[in-house]
Amino acid sequence: VIVKDNKLSNYYYGLRESETIAGSFPPYGINSTTINPYVKASFEKKLVGDWSMYLSYQSMQFDSKITDSILVQDEQVNTRFIGVKYRF
């Protein structure tokens, strides 16, 4: 679970009146903590020597206070990562 206080949530997903064009979008503020559950799976496979391959997948469901923002279109975000890692 990722918990964000209202200040952080407003920074990313809020819309102040000074940031809007008159008549375009209403201001939006988040007045309480948001709770965003997520699941993550990762896998690391050693290749050769100090080299390894890293795979990861994460799916996070946004709190309804975040999805109510005009700045957010989706109810969840899915992140995939594939990389190669070298250990010193």
Side-chain angles (χ1 to χ4, degrees):
V1 173
I2 297 175
V3 178
K4 296 180 182 177
D5 69 8
N6 66 318
K7 289 181 183 180
L8 186 60
S9 295
N10 269 319
Y11 179 78
Y12 285 110
Y13 310 109
L15 192 60
R16 293 186 292 255
E17 191 167 345
S18 62
E19 298 171 322
T20 64
I21 299 172
S24 60
F25 300 110
Y28 180 74
I30 297 173
N31 299 320
S32 61
T33 300
T34 58
I35 299 172
N36 307 289
Y38 75 94
V39 292
K40 182 176 183 178
S42 60
F43 173 77
E44 187 172 345
K45 170 73 173 152
K46 187 172 174 101
L47 297 174
V48 177
D50 293 327
W51 291 93
S52 60
M53 180 172 57
Y54 182 78
L55 307 167
S56 120
Y57 174 82
Q58 178 176 311
S59 181
M60 182 174 64
Q61 181 74 33
F62 287 127
D63 189 294
S64 63
K65 291 174 238 128
I66 291 174
T67 59
D68 289 344
S69 171
I70 191 74
L71 302 175
V72 177
Q73 294 180 351
D74 299 321
E75 293 184 1
Q76 72 180 42
V77 62
N78 299 309
T79 306
R80 295 162 202 82
F81 178 81
I82 299 174
V84 176
K85 183 166 84 172
Y86 181 79
R87 282 185 203 245
F88 293 96

